[in-house]
Amino acid sequence: MTTPKGGRPATGSVKWRHNPDRVDPVTGKPAPGMQWWGRVTKANGRGFVPLDPSILEHERDAALACAVETAAWYRDNPTTVKTVRETVSEYARRWCDWRESRGMVCVKDDRARLKNHVLEGVGALDIRAVTRRDLERLVERLDERITKGDLGWKVAMMAWGNVTRMLKDACSAKRLDLRVRADDPSKDVQGPERGDKKEKQYLWPVEFLALITSPKTPPRWRVLFALAVYTYARAGEIAALTWDDVTFETNTIHIHASVDRVRRKGHVSSTKTGVSRRIPIEAELLPLLAAMHATAKGKGKVITAMPSAGMLSRKLRRYLGKAGVRRAELFAAGDPTRKAITFHDLRATGITWMAARGDDPLRIKQRAGHASFSTTEGYIREAENLGASFGEVFPALPEVLLEPLGGLAPVWPVPNSGSPSSQKQGVLWWAQQGLNL
């Protein structure tokens, strides 16, 4: 922290007192009342100014930190207006409310990141007067927390992304009342330092076959693992698939929706990138899909009882271990450069296999639903490292996956309404077969 005029570092000076011009931090409407004030030096001398109204009376430490940042801002902006028209905190609240009204399911996480990592430093500043230097100070604080281990670099990058998106909308949002600036001070400001990116995991063909042929892998999970690899779809996209999306006349699957199973559980929206896609049904997957379609009479969801997000990855690692797959990096929890395999990595497996097979890069991008080609390039580069000993990708699925479809027993709970009652009936059926999850 800078030391003005060679003296001791600024520590801030605050008071809890009445503000007749206070604005309610929730509604954004005038609400005279008590709030924290901080002492700053302005062009006309020293005095107290109101701080972020969302800081509560017992949060003195937060008020002191806010006062230090506010004082620094006034030092850099000695000719600022006497009163702040709208703080960054107040604007952020309006901005998040607007995004939420547009159906964005990420807003809850955005609010938390802004509150925990951004607003304590710049929340009391006027949104119309935030400068590039203010943002550079914010990045410095984020970098310090990353270095100390108090904050993950990915979270810092997402918080910084919220800041840049908000300031861009402050210039050019579709909603006119959110346009409060003529410039974007975040332009050309370098964001937080990136840490080591952990490598994606994927299965070798022999490991995949061991997983789905193991007698210790329940039939339900064999089918789900096969679908994830051979459709290279995200878990939410698989959960949203219905038999209407599967067209056997053209051997295609239409992926156009996704079920949110983390933030707004059960909410159906567009895919992650907002773009629908049609993918060809891999020839080796076709017999299994046809048998499942016949069992379900072509109605309802392809998967009618999708396990929870946390269970998917836990079960995958559990059944890999039971199948005798021992490759250490697949179970590297807590490793600084590697991560344990997750259910999402089955999608990475399918995409890597496409690249290893030599599929056209643009087709891989379209089938995977990547927003940018740079994402696809990562899989292509990884596939270039694989030799002939890697094995035959997209091997024929073993007949053991079709055995439960030979009689009346369904591979997945039926009826197909997807209602809680039908899912409960399905779980009971599996329990009766000794295949309880």
Side-chain angles (χ1 to χ4, degrees):
M1 183 174 294
T2 59
T3 303
K5 299 181 180 180
R8 62 182 178 83
T11 58
S13 179
V14 296
K15 291 184 179 180
W16 178 258
R17 68 185 193 187
H18 185 266
N19 180 12
D21 300 319
R22 178 181 178 274
V23 175
D24 187 278
V26 176
T27 64
K29 298 180 180 180
M34 302 294 287
Q35 74 175 97
W36 284 106
W37 293 63
R39 188 162 60 182
V40 302
T41 300
K42 298 188 287 187
N44 57 351
R46 302 194 72 186
F48 280 86
V49 297
L51 303 177
D52 185 346
S54 66
I55 301 176
L56 303 179
E57 182 178 4
H58 67 277
E59 298 175 328
R60 182 181 179 82
D61 290 343
L64 286 169
C66 184
V68 171
E69 295 300 328
T70 303
W73 185 82
Y74 273 101
R75 284 197 302 271
D76 293 341
N77 300 271
T79 60
T80 187
V81 294
K82 293 182 178 180
T83 59
V84 175
R85 296 170 62 186
E86 182 178 32
T87 66
V88 173
S89 292
E90 293 162 351
Y91 182 85
R93 194 169 296 108
R94 288 203 299 130
W95 181 68
C96 287
D97 289 344
W98 171 61
R99 286 162 59 85
E100 191 171 47
S101 70
R102 296 169 62 197
M104 296 186 179
V105 298
C106 62
V107 176
K108 181 178 179 180
D109 292 338
D110 293 344
R111 284 195 177 101
R113 282 191 292 267
L114 288 169
K115 178 182 178 181
N116 296 331
H117 312 303
V118 175
L119 297 180
E120 182 176 284
V122 300
L125 306 183
D126 192 323
I127 184 65
R128 295 165 177 80
V130 172
T131 66
R132 173 172 179 159
R133 182 59 184 142
D134 297 324
L135 299 179
E136 289 172 342
R137 286 199 188 97
L138 171 62
V139 173
E140 286 179 353
R141 287 194 299 274
L142 293 175
D143 283 342
E144 288 175 1
R145 293 182 60 190
I146 293 172
T147 301
K148 292 178 180 178
D150 297 335
L151 179 65
W153 70 267
K154 285 188 177 181
V155 176
M157 289 299 299
M158 288 189 286
W160 176 245
N162 291 145
V163 173
T164 58
R165 178 71 258 183
M166 181 173 64
L167 289 171
K168 182 178 179 180
D169 283 339
C171 301
S172 56
K174 286 186 176 181
R175 209 172 88 177
L176 297 182
D177 67 315
L178 288 172
R179 296 187 190 178
V180 297
R181 296 185 61 106
D183 67 315
D184 180 358
S186 68
K187 188 176 181 180
D188 299 327
V189 175
Q190 296 186 33
E193 293 293 332
R194 291 178 177 268
D196 295 327
K197 190 172 183 179
K198 295 186 178 181
E199 63 181 15
K200 288 183 173 66
Q201 298 291 1
Y202 54 87
L203 295 178
W204 298 340
V206 66
E207 294 170 333
F208 170 74
L209 288 175
L211 173 66
I212 62 172
T213 57
S214 169
K216 295 183 179 179
T217 303
R220 173 187 182 186
W221 289 92
R222 294 175 183 170
V223 171
L224 183 53
F225 296 151
L227 283 175
V229 173
Y230 283 63
T231 64
Y232 14 93
R234 302 175 180 91
E237 295 169 346
I238 295 174
L241 276 180
T242 70
W243 288 113
D244 290 337
D245 299 322
V246 181
T247 305
F248 289 102
E249 289 77 10
T250 57
N251 283 345
T252 58
I253 299 175
H254 187 200
I255 299 177
H256 59 91
S258 179
V259 175
D260 190 325
R261 295 155 47 253
V262 179
R263 299 184 183 95
R264 297 169 62 185
K265 294 185 178 180
H267 177 76
V268 179
S269 60
S270 60
T271 64
K272 179 180 178 180
T273 56
V275 179
S276 63
R277 62 191 188 276
R278 282 184 170 82
I279 64 170
I281 300 174
E282 295 285 344
E284 295 78 6
L285 179 64
L286 191 56
L288 175 61
L289 271 185
M292 294 172 63
H293 181 270
T295 302
K297 297 182 173 56
K299 298 179 180 179
K301 288 190 173 183
V302 175
I303 303 298
T304 62
M306 191 73 170
S308 66
M311 182 185 292
L312 288 172
S313 297
R314 290 196 303 271
K315 292 293 186 179
L316 172 60
R317 292 189 289 268
R318 176 182 178 184
Y319 294 133
L320 279 171
K322 287 180 175 291
V325 177
R326 296 286 185 263
R327 185 153 53 101
E329 60 192 89
L330 298 178
F331 307 92
D335 193 297
T337 58
R338 301 178 299 177
K339 68 179 183 67
I341 191 169
T342 66
F343 183 83
H344 188 73
D345 289 322
L346 295 181
R347 162 179 160 83
T349 297
I351 299 172
T352 303
W353 286 7
M354 279 195 288
R357 187 171 58 184
D359 289 10
D360 180 85
L362 290 178
R363 289 186 177 180
I364 297 176
K365 175 180 180 296
Q366 188 278 329
R367 293 173 183 178
H370 290 154
S372 64
F373 187 67
S374 61
T375 304
T376 310
E377 285 182 308
Y379 292 95
I380 296 174
R381 286 194 295 269
E382 182 62 30
E384 289 175 350
N385 298 326
L386 305 176
S389 60
F390 182 67
E392 179 187 355
V393 298
F394 296 106
L397 294 174
E399 293 184 2
V400 67
L401 269 72
L402 302 177
E403 289 177 0
L405 298 167
L408 298 177
V411 161
W412 219 264
V414 173
N416 300 284
S417 66
S419 65
S421 61
S422 68
Q423 293 179 11
K424 182 177 180 180
Q425 293 171 10
V427 172
L428 290 174
W429 185 91
W430 284 105
Q432 293 167 2
Q433 309 307 311
L435 301 173
N436 196 10
L437 301 178

